[in-house]
Amino acid sequence: MTRQVTGQPQASAAGFWEEACTGLSGLPGGRGLNIAYEAVDRHTTGPFASRVALRCLAESGAPHEMTYRELAERSSRFASALASLGIGRGERVFVLTGRIPELYIAVLGGLKLGAVVCTLFAAFGPEPIAQRLRLGDGRVLVTTPELYDRKVAASRAELPDLRQVLLTGDPTECLQRPETGSLTTALDEAAAEFQIAPTSTEDPALLHFTSGTTGTPKGAVHVHGAVVGHVATARLVLDLRAEDVYWCTADPGWVTGTSYGIVAPLVIGATSIVDAAEFDVHRWYRTIEEQRVTVWYTAPTAIRRLMRAGDQAAEAYDLSSLRAVASVGEPLNPEAVVWGQRVLHRTIRDNWWQTETGAIAIANYGDAPVRPGSMGRPVPGMTAAVLVRGEDGRAHRDKGHVTVEQRPNTVGELALRTPWPSMFRGYLHDDKRYADCFADGWYVTGDLARIDDDGYFWFVGRADDVIKTAGHLIGPFEVESVLMEHPAVAEAGVIGRPDPLVGEVVKAFVALKPGYTPDEVLRRDLLAHARKRLGATVAPKEIAFQQDLPKTRSGKIVRRLLKARELGLPEGDVSTLEQQ
Ligand code: AMP
């Protein structure tokens, strides 16, 4: 028997989503549904037109504000510019910038054209960027001159399908880079009017790469209809309203930063704070105080960093504007909830979702009491369950069937009943990997969880080897591949080593080729090599030399065992290993 838990007593899941749709307009004349129209253009004829949509904080200097009307106009110009470049519906437009206004203009403009928009994390190194542009068949890239020079220019020749790179800022920057064009000039010269493409709820809109245990990153495709999920959950879980000053600290290079950093707040009509700077304890508290932030959506690593700075750091600021605080991306430890109650005078509400779900699926929401350490319960419209393997011990996805025997409080794989509006509709160019995620009408998430007697979900860990560091999902294979490019490396196995601050730290075990000495100089060289290629977020922070990496008889490195040995945990079944 499967223990299924639905969000709340309700007429039907479909009823919840249907009601959520009523807050949306649809394209004029019944021409379809487009996220960008819901987010900006429909506001331009009403009272929200002159409302501030984005208040962008530069690293220093005065904030730059953009109203809904301005954002609608600038994004229409970008859509016109894309059309004159010959970009068609369904083609991929990539954005690689920091958190600056151009990012929002490019995302919304791309959506208006009916293109599929992919945002990339600016802290990625050249390798993850080139790989994603290649896998996603990027046609246009919007980036900054600085990021272009450091991270794209060298691989440009390997990206023949990338037709145009548009650089933000001063147009003269392009003179030194004749293979690029100027976004500023393109926007100035493009038509300010653009008729939004008549996209349907099922047309692809956003592409987000996420990491698996093996192989290349997976491009999760999301459709325009996902906006229903973004908005309904932002209202319900984040308690987001039009009058709010809202701060989502996630970078739009990751899914939280688009679903809840771009789409949901704009559709709802709130004012978003967009901070270009990196984390800093005092800057963050000051931002809440000065901007009078009312709803704050952030992540456990950031909360733990604030906790480390001590209560006094917080007490120096007036944080009383905060009405709702929510957290996502990694487990939120119970102490963080208690700290929030004591120091912020708010209960930080943990919620769970992932790139593939497109929107929050499990959450502490409404008046339900929060159990510190639990990620809450399924939102209305979602049914979640914990699936365990059949008695024969085979994976529950064998032959496409979910074989489950579920007792209360048993750990199993978290699964969601399909479908729901923001569910991903595919992995780009990889139908098999997509199909493998489903069994018997369930989407199986790859997370391990348990449900308590009252229906609260508790995160236990990942069922696979992917690593979560500071809220960012890292595929070990991607890291191993780059380490193997180094002439000294024969083999590499990468794991996440638990860490009290960032959740997990990327740690690599490396076997060397003959003739290389495992010393400090080589270790530093390897760390620098990985950092240069992958960027600081993805690169390993620690490297250990180990000649006898545990392997299966077919020669695959067993990361599970590397981790168990690192942590001094039981090694489990080692019968299929080549050597112990
Ligand atoms: P991503 O697809 O990059 O958003 O990462 C999704 C993964 O982050 C999930 O599959 C979980 O492993 C983890 N995650 C997200 N939210 C939570 C949470 N509230 N508690 C624990 N893990 C989480």
Side-chain angles (χ1 to χ4, degrees):
M1 188 191 72
T2 314
R3 181 170 162 80
Q4 303 178 18
V5 181
T6 45
Q8 64 176 29
Q10 58 190 304
S12 70
F16 174 75
W17 299 123
E18 263 163 38
E19 199 183 314
C21 289
T22 57
L24 299 172
S25 308
L27 284 168
R31 290 166 62 245
L33 182 82
N34 185 289
I35 292 177
Y37 181 78
E38 301 302 323
V40 282
D41 282 36
R42 73 184 175 126
H43 296 315
T44 57
T45 50
F48 287 6
S50 53
R51 243 184 106 81
V52 175
L54 307 176
R55 189 172 301 136
C56 302
L57 314 182
E59 290 193 25
S60 59
H64 170 85
E65 290 186 344
M66 209 184 280
T67 63
Y68 276 89
R69 186 184 288 120
E70 286 164 341
L71 190 53
E73 197 237 71
R74 299 303 278 168
S75 53
S76 285
R77 284 179 181 272
F78 184 62
S80 305
L82 287 175
S84 27
L85 286 170
I87 304 303
R89 278 180 65 174
E91 292 197 288
R92 256 79 71 186
V93 172
F94 278 68
V95 188
L96 169 74
T97 65
R99 293 175 293 277
I100 56 174
E102 288 87 342
L103 165 72
Y104 298 78
I105 293 167
V107 169
L108 294 164
L111 294 172
K112 286 184 178 181
L113 181 85
V116 179
V117 180
C118 181
T119 49
L120 294 175
F121 188 40
F124 277 153
E127 179 58 30
I129 290 169
Q131 190 179 40
R132 284 158 177 77
L133 279 165
R134 219 175 3 249
L135 290 169
D137 314 308
R139 292 282 184 270
V140 172
L141 171 68
V142 172
T143 188
T144 66
E146 194 252 335
L147 286 168
Y148 179 74
D149 290 349
R150 282 185 29 229
K151 307 195 174 191
V152 184
S155 34
R156 183 77 198 269
E158 299 154 31
L159 299 165
D161 295 331
L162 185 59
R163 269 189 240 150
Q164 182 62 290
V165 174
L166 293 170
L167 301 183
T168 60
D170 183 350
T172 59
E173 294 280 357
C174 301
L175 300 177
Q176 293 128 48
R177 304 164 185 89
E179 72 284 13
T180 65
S182 163
L183 176 72
T184 311
T185 309
L187 292 177
D188 287 348
E189 290 176 354
E193 299 283 317
F194 184 83
Q195 181 164 64
I196 297 181
T199 43
S200 78
T201 50
E202 284 305 307
D203 275 327
L206 293 159
L207 173 69
H208 270 292
F209 282 95
T210 184
S211 299
T213 306
T214 56
T216 51
K218 305 172 279 188
V221 177
H222 291 281
V223 294
H224 282 273
V227 66
V228 175
H230 301 151
V231 175
T233 52
R235 285 192 208 283
L236 179 86
V237 178
L238 307 180
D239 191 26
L240 190 58
R241 309 170 195 167
E243 61 274 20
D244 278 315
V245 176
Y246 168 67
W247 188 20
C248 171
T249 62
D251 189 278
W254 303 90
V255 74
T256 305
T258 48
S259 296
Y260 296 97
I262 303 180
V263 180
L266 291 174
V267 175
I268 288 173
T271 294
S272 282
I273 302 301
V274 177
D275 187 11
E278 293 312 316
F279 176 86
D280 174 82
V281 172
H282 291 285
R283 185 180 172 100
W284 276 37
Y285 284 139
R286 201 168 51 243
T287 298
I288 295 171
E289 177 181 273
E290 288 179 358
Q291 303 301 329
R292 308 300 298 151
V293 172
T294 52
V295 178
W296 190 33
Y297 195 19
T298 191
T301 295
I303 293 167
R304 288 190 290 265
R305 286 189 171 134
L306 295 174
M307 288 167 72
R308 276 203 178 178
D311 292 9
Q312 280 167 341
E315 283 157 12
Y317 297 87
D318 175 5
L319 307 174
S320 61
S321 58
L322 288 174
R323 189 183 78 247
V325 183
S327 158
V328 73
E330 2 152 19
L332 183 68
N333 17 345
E335 311 84 72
V337 179
V338 174
W339 173 85
Q341 287 165 336
R342 190 181 71 243
V343 177
L344 304 176
H345 308 293
R346 291 287 167 269
T347 296
I348 304 173
R349 291 170 189 278
D350 186 20
N351 54 73
W352 177 98
W353 60 292
Q354 53 179 199
T355 303
E356 287 85 346
T357 69
I360 296 167
I362 295 173
N364 291 285
Y365 61 90
D367 296 333
V370 169
R371 293 195 174 166
S374 159
M375 36 198 204
R377 291 181 293 174
V379 299
M382 299 294 285
T383 301
V386 160
L387 311 178
V388 292
R389 289 158 201 257
E391 272 180 13
D392 57 1
R394 288 184 311 171
H396 49 255
R397 275 173 280 181
D398 278 359
K399 299 192 183 130
H401 291 297
V402 180
T403 45
V404 285
E405 184 66 38
Q406 171 68 33
R407 291 168 297 280
N409 284 305
T410 309
V411 174
E413 210 165 337
L414 179 61
L416 303 169
R417 193 93 198 145
T418 63
W420 62 95
S422 62
M423 185 178 104
F424 70 135
R425 300 296 201 274
Y427 287 130
L428 196 68
H429 308 318
D430 205 342
D431 293 344
K432 166 142 188 355
R433 251 168 148 185
Y434 184 66
D436 284 349
C437 296
F438 300 90
D440 280 358
W442 293 94
Y443 162 65
V444 190
T445 65
D447 279 2
L448 298 174
R450 70 179 172 81
I451 310 169
D452 70 18
D453 291 331
D454 300 311
Y456 282 78
F457 284 63
W458 299 76
F459 180 80
V460 173
R462 288 286 310 186
D464 56 19
D465 293 335
V466 295
I467 300 161
K468 258 277 158 140
T469 181
H472 304 132
L473 203 68
I474 309 289
F477 182 75
E478 223 175 325
V479 183
E480 289 158 4
S481 305
V482 161
L483 286 170
M484 302 267 290
E485 285 172 9
H486 191 283
V489 176
E491 286 171 325
V494 168
I495 62 159
R497 184 181 59 67
D499 177 85
L501 185 65
V502 294
E504 287 184 312
V505 165
V506 180
K507 174 159 188 173
F509 294 84
V510 164
L512 297 179
K513 288 184 186 156
Y516 287 92
T517 315
D519 59 15
E520 205 41 43
V521 177
L522 182 56
R523 189 199 317 278
R524 266 192 253 121
D525 192 48
L526 284 172
L527 287 169
H529 161 80
R531 203 180 157 96
K532 187 162 166 249
R533 303 279 294 137
L534 294 165
T537 309
V538 184
K541 298 275 181 297
E542 294 173 13
I543 290 185
F545 295 112
Q546 185 173 323
Q547 285 310 102
D548 56 342
L549 296 174
K551 277 186 258 163
T552 59
R553 291 205 186 97
S554 57
K556 221 174 118 208
I557 293 170
V558 187
R559 303 184 189 108
R560 171 185 66 75
L561 212 57
L562 280 173
K563 192 161 178 171
R565 289 178 184 169
E566 169 76 11
L567 302 179
L569 296 173
E571 298 196 352
D573 180 9
V574 290
S575 59
T576 59
L577 292 194
E578 179 192 62
Q579 57 189 12
Q580 281 102 61

